[in-house]
Amino acid sequence: MASVQSIALISVHGDPAIEIGKEEAGGQNVYVRHVGEALADLGWRVDMLTRKTHPNQADVVQHSANCRTIRLTAGPESFIHRDLIFDYLPEFVQAVQQHQRDSGYDYRLIHTNYWLSAWVGMQLRRRQPLVQLHTHHSLGSVKYRTVQDIPTIAQTRLATEKHCIETADCVIATSPQEVEDMRRVTSLGNLKIIPCGTDVERFGSISKQEARVRLGISPEQKRLFYVGRFDSRKGIETLIRAAARSQFRDDPNFQVVIGGGARAGHKDGDERDRLMALTEDLGIADFVKFPGRIDDDLMSAYYAAADVCVVPSHYEPFGLVAIEAMACGTPLVASAVGGLQYSMIHEETGLLVPAKDDAAFAAACDRILANPDWRNQLGEAARQRVLDEFSWQGVAEHLSQVYEGLLEETAIPA
Ligand code: UDP
């Protein structure tokens, strides 16, 4: 890069500096943080702007010399569910403007994440010359087809997403399926496909045997693994119902592990409680374990120790968990939805089955559990696919080229 360029990655509800697996933090937080850090390695000066959710949180977290998270106050300094944040966005816009005045420079380039940040970005563009890129992470038009409880904010979200697709300088789709989804919303807009990435050194650092020793799991165990947020669109219920139908149900070595944090009294805690109750009702609570949030330093061991990583989402724009498991050499059984159809190859890196079809999930998991040699073969192909296609460094290089091209095209003065 000729000179140091600044970029603001805006992620109102997905704090890139927070512990992942907590407070409904998931793929978006991981994406913003890794993209930010990798861009800084390429020479960008990166500010990641998010909403402060606790008075004790640091206002600034420095990740590396040129990469920091900045927490801005907009509304109460407490956790607010994403469906209820919209009312505080005008305050967030003001806070970004104030931050620019305080720090003495104006951003020329912003990359917004999720529709809440898209709205913020569009407001800022009315106030200052700005190139805006956007990544959805989830599209209302698809998500609302898969859920029963449509929130009151839905119309605002749908309108914001359409407007953003049509007016942003570029919208980054993370898979060809996401392009199709956006094209059903509007035929306008500049779309580019750049997938999500993963840390191929961290994920893949431990063999299955070592991982089992580390976690104290016997070599004979037949282990299915899910990790992620407790959100009904993740389809965890399908996994539980599939486990109840498995041919291995009565095998003492069969174990299903459902990892991820959840807080009592919040939406995710309610979902976890509902699912735990379901395992009791189905009489399978003794072999379905809920270990809670999985520590970062154990995550790759959990993936590697599993025979199959199950991603039963009803909707998944990309699905970081899928490529993390693949990077660890663990095959997937995943819903044939969204980006999962792109990141994994059916019968080569795992099996794709219809979403919500617990009989199909049971049959697919059983097929892999019954054949360890084939499991290993699928796992090796899975790791290779991630090495070839999905590293953060590659993602950041691709993004960087798009940013530079847009800055040049739009010629916004420095
Ligand atoms: N994650 C984690 N610890 C947990 C649960 C989840 O670190 O206990 C991480 C997981 O490794 C992945 C992310 O959260 O990087 C989930 O991303 P994904 O795209 O699969 O789902 P999303 O949260 O975007 O729906």
Side-chain angles (χ1 to χ4, degrees):
M1 224 182 309
S3 60
V4 175
Q5 304 263 27
S6 293
I7 179 166
L9 302 181
I10 303 184
S11 180
V12 176
H13 86 286
D15 182 336
I18 207 172
E19 268 189 335
I20 310 301
K22 254 187 173 175
E23 295 214 342
E24 304 194 4
Q28 181 175 328
N29 312 60
V30 174
Y31 176 91
V32 174
R33 171 142 181 192
H34 283 275
V35 163
E37 290 178 351
L39 287 170
D41 287 344
L42 292 176
W44 292 84
R45 187 171 66 183
V46 183
D47 283 347
M48 305 187 282
L49 310 181
T50 192
R51 197 182 76 84
K52 195 168 177 179
T53 60
H54 197 281
N56 294 344
Q57 282 178 326
D59 291 333
V60 178
V61 178
Q62 197 78 39
H63 299 272
S64 61
N66 274 330
C67 180
R68 57 189 184 161
T69 293
I70 294 167
R71 297 196 175 107
L72 304 171
T73 297
E77 290 181 349
S78 58
F79 176 82
I80 301 174
H81 189 268
R82 66 192 77 177
D83 289 342
L84 303 173
I85 291 180
F86 184 73
D87 288 349
Y88 304 107
L89 294 185
E91 257 182 81
F92 194 92
V93 172
Q94 281 170 12
V96 176
Q97 291 183 293
Q98 187 60 46
H99 161 68
Q100 292 183 96
R101 284 193 290 273
D102 294 346
S103 60
Y105 63 86
D106 289 331
Y107 299 113
R108 297 160 65 214
L109 181 63
I110 55 171
H111 185 156
T112 53
N113 294 273
Y114 197 61
W115 75 273
L116 296 166
S117 307
W119 190 91
V120 167
M122 292 191 291
Q123 295 296 315
L124 287 167
R125 276 179 104 199
R126 293 186 183 167
R127 294 163 166 79
Q128 66 189 82
L130 209 50
V131 170
Q132 182 183 6
L133 288 92
H134 180 70
T135 302
H136 289 293
H137 297 278
S138 162
L139 257 180
S141 57
V142 187
K143 172 165 177 161
Y144 295 143
R145 282 206 302 267
T146 67
V147 294
Q148 269 146 18
D149 53 337
I150 298 199
T152 45
I153 200 68
Q155 288 312 321
T156 310
R157 173 175 179 177
L158 293 171
T160 303
E161 286 176 346
K162 180 164 188 283
H163 194 208
C164 176
I165 296 168
E166 292 177 345
T167 62
D169 294 284
C170 182
V171 179
I172 306 294
T174 52
S175 67
Q177 288 73 17
E178 203 183 341
V179 171
E180 281 170 30
D181 291 337
M182 280 193 257
R183 283 298 169 235
R184 276 191 277 271
V185 174
T186 173
S187 59
L188 303 177
N190 176 27
L191 314 184
K192 282 209 166 32
I193 301 175
I194 304 181
C196 291
T198 194
D199 183 340
V200 292
E201 274 154 36
R202 177 177 165 219
F203 294 114
S205 57
I206 187 166
S207 70
K208 183 172 297 303
Q209 291 75 8
E210 287 165 342
R212 288 194 167 205
V213 171
R214 176 139 190 226
L215 299 178
I217 303 167
S218 86
E220 287 77 38
Q221 194 178 88
K222 293 181 172 57
R223 188 174 173 95
L224 304 182
F225 179 53
Y226 165 92
V227 66
R229 292 178 298 114
F230 282 89
D231 179 323
S232 56
R233 90 146 157 93
K234 290 291 185 182
I236 306 170
E237 179 170 343
T238 307
L239 167 59
I240 292 172
R241 292 192 182 280
R245 303 176 79 122
S246 169
Q247 72 180 77
F248 297 105
R249 177 186 169 143
D250 298 320
D251 183 333
N253 286 317
F254 186 46
Q255 180 132 117
V256 181
V257 178
I258 298 177
R263 293 150 309 143
H266 288 259
K267 234 178 159 178
D268 51 1
D270 294 347
E271 175 68 356
R272 183 204 43 206
D273 293 349
R274 185 183 75 80
L275 294 167
M276 287 175 106
L278 179 64
T279 63
E280 297 283 351
D281 292 348
L282 294 171
I284 59 173
D286 54 332
F287 65 80
V288 182
K289 306 288 174 203
F290 292 82
R293 177 180 182 271
I294 293 164
D295 274 355
D296 289 351
D297 61 336
L298 284 180
M299 194 60 122
S300 59
Y302 266 88
Y303 281 126
D307 291 294
V308 178
C309 179
V310 185
V311 186
S313 311
H314 301 166
Y315 164 46
E316 198 61 78
F318 185 81
L320 282 176
V321 161
I323 57 171
E324 290 168 3
M326 284 165 64
C328 293
T330 301
L332 298 179
V333 169
S335 305
V337 297
L340 296 168
Q341 300 164 96
Y342 162 64
S343 55
M344 63 171 290
I345 303 175
H346 183 54
E347 299 277 351
E348 265 181 47
T349 66
L351 296 172
L352 286 168
V353 291
K356 302 185 188 176
D357 186 339
D358 37 273
F361 269 87
C365 292
D366 286 353
R367 245 183 96 192
I368 300 178
L369 289 177
N371 188 345
D373 288 341
W374 187 48
R375 177 204 65 200
N376 293 343
Q377 205 180 314
L378 293 168
E380 276 165 33
R383 167 125 183 112
Q384 194 54 50
R385 175 150 177 81
V386 177
L387 290 175
D388 293 344
E389 304 287 337
F390 308 116
S391 75
W392 283 125
Q393 200 199 343
V395 169
E397 280 166 11
H398 204 158
L399 283 171
S400 191
Q401 283 164 9
V402 176
Y403 296 156
E404 288 186 50
L406 286 171
L407 281 172
E408 233 174 86
E409 261 171 47
T410 46
I412 292 179

